[in-house]
Amino acid sequence: MSASRRRARLLGALLIVCAARVSTAQSTRQGSGTSWLPDASPMYAVHFQDGPWMLMLHENAFLQFLRDSGRRRDEQLGSVNWVMGMAQRNAGRGRVALRGMFSVEPWTIRGCGYPDLLASGERCAGQTIHDRQHPHDLPMEIAAEYDAPLRGTVRWQLYGGPSAEPALGPVAYPHRVSAMPNPLAPISHHWLDSTHVSFGTVTGGVYATRWKLEASAFNGREPDEHRQNIDVGPLDSFSGRVWFQPDANVSLQVSGGHLRELEAGEAGAPRADANRLTASATFHRLGAARVSAWTIAWGRNSESGHGTSALMLETSVTLADRDSWFGRLELTQKTPHDLDVPPTRETFTVFKIQGGYTRYARAATRFKAGLGATVSAGVVPSELREVYGSRVNPGAGIFLTLRPAMTIAEPTAEAAPSAADAGRTMVMVQTAFDAARLTCAAGFDPAAAPRTTYEGKTYYFCSPEDRDRFLIDPKMSLSMMPPK
């Protein structure tokens, strides 16, 4: 296989999916916006090199038929989808990245959304959306980012754009490895990560190897039902978030924010403000032929003198990049307004369990096609039995899906994936022609930096281990991470 074709087949940085954006030595951890996945994350993207620019393409698409039962039964044939592109390069002492993410759901999801019993949030046709998930906006992300060293191992980061994600909540569900094979949005979406499409965001942060502090000013208003445009608004909402990564398999966050005029009022009433708190933990485990991902998250919205909370547990297990099992448990407090039910009490606690299986094609191509099925059960309190038809209301769906093939960034302690298992093992190591330009751990001495000569040029590294990884496949490493 030629070097150019090998580079074209490289798969990289989601979810996130999506992103090999900030510190290039930590690209596997990049999730949606400026959020962090564990370092031990598989990658689902196609990478190309064009001069000094590293280009990335990620997508995930489902063609699904969904059906919910009960008195609020509904069914729909449609498509959930998104595609993301990124370009990044060295700029001065740091790196600049340009990102765009788009969805054609405004045309592939009919009406006010697809069936998703007990889901709620936003408005459509003059009413609150309930028991369905609204389509994504066409411009899911249009943003730029600059990242550079500050002092020692500490770096600073500036991110934002007309459509971007503020520092609030866990990694958004389209970018979570634990949700990747699942075509349905969580019913807790508007308690956790609904700000992943915010029309106007500026985020600044500082971070080191294991921690990150960041804050955002953004437009917290939920998008309107016209999904093809950008809903311009003032950046009068704010949020802050702390990340901690105790090891390569775990990512923890706590965040909070004030969302100005979050929801449109009923019957011409003023828009309501909300305060949101979230906490989450994500766990990844990479083996020779197995990828396991878990996310547990809690969120609370406080508005108009009352508060509601949501708890979510989500998982996916993928074997040999062919067989994926996924599941989600959610316990959520919702108001009568959220569910469009009589106000017999201030809040109702609803429960949903959903899971399924996807079988991906064996073909060794850049993209994986799959066939899957999902089943669910929405559980409501006894007071809502008459509204929903039963306390337990089943749902089901079948779908075709297409996503990039999986790549593991480097061998794990358990075993390096073989070509027959998880696909190609990526080699991506920080290098420099001048050791003083490396971003290494405290105590690093440029005069003693390990080095090697490749194709007549001398490359320097932070450690002998980095040099040894580089020597596994120098061309691949240089294509993924150009030397400083």
Side-chain angles (χ1 to χ4, degrees):
M1 183 182 296
S2 67
S4 61
R5 186 178 177 188
R6 287 172 60 189
R7 287 196 296 269
R9 294 191 62 186
L10 293 178
L11 308 171
L14 173 72
L15 209 197
I16 142 162
V17 184
C18 293
R21 305 172 352 290
V22 276
S23 169
T24 56
Q26 301 172 344
S27 57
T28 57
R29 70 173 50 174
Q30 297 309 311
S32 58
T34 56
S35 62
W36 275 1
L37 290 162
D39 288 336
S41 294
M43 301 179 184
Y44 301 92
V46 178
H47 273 78
F48 306 86
Q49 192 74 27
D50 184 10
W53 289 95
M54 185 179 75
L55 309 176
M56 182 274 286
L57 174 68
H58 163 76
E59 62 80 31
N60 204 1
F62 300 88
L63 175 62
Q64 73 277 348
F65 176 78
L66 303 173
R67 188 180 191 279
D68 284 328
S69 64
R71 290 186 176 171
R72 292 194 167 182
R73 60 184 176 272
D74 195 7
E75 60 184 39
Q76 186 187 93
L77 174 66
S79 174
V80 173
N81 54 78
W82 52 85
V83 61
M84 177 184 176
M86 182 203 70
Q88 72 168 7
R89 61 167 294 167
N90 292 333
R93 298 181 64 221
R95 289 179 74 82
V96 65
L98 307 175
R99 299 177 64 186
M101 186 171 179
F102 303 92
S103 173
V104 295
E105 289 178 24
W107 297 278
T108 61
I109 297 295
R110 302 193 311 274
C112 295
Y114 60 81
D116 191 2
L117 201 68
L118 302 179
S120 61
E122 302 190 14
R123 292 177 66 82
C124 179
Q127 296 182 338
T128 299
I129 298 174
H130 60 86
D131 299 302
R132 56 183 54 245
Q133 174 61 32
H134 60 78
H136 283 112
D137 287 76
L138 170 64
M140 294 180 66
E141 183 177 31
I142 303 173
E145 179 185 295
Y146 186 74
D147 175 279
L150 184 62
R151 181 169 181 169
T153 61
V154 178
R155 299 176 68 90
W156 66 274
Q157 181 182 38
L158 183 65
Y159 163 87
S163 180
E165 178 181 322
L168 180 60
V171 175
Y173 78 89
H175 304 259
R176 291 196 296 262
V177 179
S178 56
M180 184 201 63
N182 194 336
L184 296 183
I187 66 170
S188 54
H189 176 49
H190 284 264
W191 281 253
L192 300 174
D193 52 3
S194 62
T195 52
H196 77 107
V197 180
S198 295
F199 290 129
T201 297
V202 176
T203 299
V206 294
Y207 69 94
T209 304
R210 296 188 180 276
W211 58 266
K212 186 178 192 180
L213 303 175
E214 50 186 345
S216 299
F218 63 102
N219 171 16
R221 296 158 185 82
E222 292 181 338
D224 61 24
E225 62 192 273
H226 305 293
R227 300 285 171 177
Q228 299 89 350
N229 60 355
I230 293 177
D231 302 318
V232 178
L235 308 186
D236 51 5
S237 300
F238 56 87
S239 66
R241 184 165 59 189
V242 179
W243 290 94
F244 179 59
Q245 298 219 3
D247 60 41
N249 300 298
V250 180
S251 184
L252 311 172
Q253 72 85 26
V254 176
S255 59
H258 177 72
L259 289 80
R260 178 83 171 166
E261 298 182 353
L262 171 63
E263 294 183 341
E266 295 184 82
R271 301 182 69 97
D273 295 355
N275 295 316
R276 180 172 297 168
L277 295 174
T278 80
S280 67
T282 297
F283 308 88
H284 288 176
R285 188 71 172 173
L286 307 185
R290 178 189 179 104
V291 174
S292 302
W294 297 78
T295 299
I296 183 170
W298 168 87
R300 182 170 179 82
N301 289 333
S302 299
E303 54 184 303
S304 303
H306 70 273
T308 53
S309 298
L311 181 66
M312 181 201 71
L313 175 64
E314 178 182 81
T315 185
S316 70
V317 177
T318 301
L319 302 180
D321 204 21
R322 289 209 69 197
D323 300 285
S324 290
W325 290 265
F326 57 87
R328 187 182 287 142
L329 298 173
E330 297 177 89
L331 189 68
T332 308
Q333 293 177 311
K334 302 209 171 191
T335 65
H337 172 72
D338 293 329
L339 299 174
D340 191 30
V341 298
T344 56
R345 63 163 70 176
E346 187 174 288
T347 62
F348 296 96
T349 299
V350 298
F351 174 80
K352 189 166 186 177
I353 180 170
Q354 183 245 341
Y357 168 77
T358 305
R359 174 73 167 178
Y360 291 97
R362 185 183 295 276
T365 61
R366 299 181 194 176
F367 295 90
K368 287 276 192 178
L371 173 65
T374 178
V375 294
S376 65
V379 183
V380 299
S382 57
E383 296 96 316
L384 300 182
R385 182 193 303 269
E386 291 301 315
V387 175
Y388 281 87
S390 173
R391 288 203 61 194
V392 180
N393 299 275
I398 56 173
F399 56 88
L400 297 171
T401 182
L402 183 69
R403 61 153 174 85
M406 181 180 69
T407 291
I408 303 296
E410 60 185 58
T412 68
E414 295 183 25
S418 67
D421 294 330
R424 187 173 179 82
T425 297
M426 182 181 294
V427 179
M428 187 164 58
V429 178
Q430 182 187 187
T431 64
F433 295 129
D434 178 358
R437 294 184 63 84
L438 290 167
T439 303
C440 305
F444 170 74
D445 181 6
R451 65 183 181 179
T452 191
T453 300
Y454 174 68
E455 292 187 342
K457 297 179 181 179
T458 300
Y459 298 87
Y460 292 88
F461 306 87
C462 289
S463 68
E465 292 78 14
D466 280 358
R467 179 191 59 199
D468 293 344
R469 284 197 294 271
F470 173 83
L471 291 172
I472 294 172
D473 194 332
K475 289 183 179 180
M476 180 189 295
S477 183
L478 293 173
S479 72
M480 294 302 302
M481 189 178 298
K484 295 183 176 180

